[in-house]
Amino acid sequence: MKKPSVGVFKFTSDGGCQLQILNMERELFDLLNLINITYFPMAGVDSGEGPFDIGFVEGAVTSTDEIIRIKEIREKCRILVALGACACYGGIASIKNQKTQRELEEKVYTDLTAVHSTKAFGIDQYVKVDAYVRGCPIDKNEFIEVVKSTLLQIKPNLRPHSVCVECKLRENPCIFLIEGEVCMGPVTSAGCGALCPSRHRACEGCRGPASDPNTPSLARTMLEYGLTPEEVRLKFIKYAGETQAFKEGAGIK
Ligand code: SF4
Ligand code: SF4
């Protein structure tokens, strides 16, 4: 049987999620028995841009050129997967959406004639997305789950609950309640195994909103714990400030 062809594409990002794929080493060799990666420039593979059975897109869309390109890629991919926080909901790049584009462009470039930047959004702002692999960077087990379920044509088993659930399953003491370390775990989507709280670091919300999160309540609690309204806003806009739930937490109308 012919193996499905796979393309991996980069938009505005630091390449960290693609690096996670390359870091899989043993698992990647197993996956290569099932799929045929035909376009993955970071891995030195370029047999032309498609068509593809599965396309993985890393990075946010932040320019008019990228809006055109993501639409072209969508046309070439039977299944399109958003890979990582930037592609899922804009990621770190979406912090810039809080200012006007021209204000930011003038800070970075001396000659603006060739600059056509747009606000940073996840790819579903412009095209239909079939599956999301969240996180900054992605979790390798979740990536494998999405690849396998896509091949089997079943829904991936992704967790709708919050990071707090995984944190409790790991029997971590809550650093929010015990040490007053303000944590985004109560409203952030699980799937990372509560990576940061398990290392005594507060969750920063890199996986975006969990299902039905009460972000206004967490924002009020953060204020009670001594954060200023501006510090609360910055917590919510760090990775997923364009999602409705985190906008509400940040107090953005
Ligand atoms: S440390 Fe954070 S993720 Fe863990 S239970 Fe407390 S609030 Fe939730
Ligand atoms: S604990 Fe929070 S910030 Fe850390 S990896 Fe998980 S979702 Fe991201």
Side-chain angles (χ1 to χ4, degrees), residues 6 24 30 33 43 48 58 64 78 115 137 149 154 174 183 216 227 229 237 250:
V6 171
M24 284 181 203
D30 289 343
N33 290 323
E58 177 201 78
T64 45
R78 194 166 56 80
V115 178
S149 60
I154 57 174
C174 177
C183 183
L227 263 59
I237 66 162

Side-chain angles (χ1 to χ4, degrees), residues 212-248:
D212 200 21
N214 192 343
T215 47
S217 170
L218 180 62
R220 283 193 298 277
T221 306
M222 287 177 171
L223 293 171
E224 286 165 17
Y225 273 71
L227 263 59
T228 64
E230 177 60 4
E231 286 168 336
V232 173
R233 191 180 73 87
L234 293 176
K235 283 270 178 204
F236 279 99
I237 66 162
K238 190 167 182 184
Y239 288 98
E242 287 299 332
T243 61
Q244 189 53 37
F246 280 15
K247 267 186 183 166
E248 285 171 20

Side-chain angles (χ1 to χ4, degrees), residues 163 188 192 194-197 203-207:
V163 171
T188 300
C192 62
L195 187 65
C196 302
C203 171
E204 293 291 333
C206 84
R207 294 177 55 81

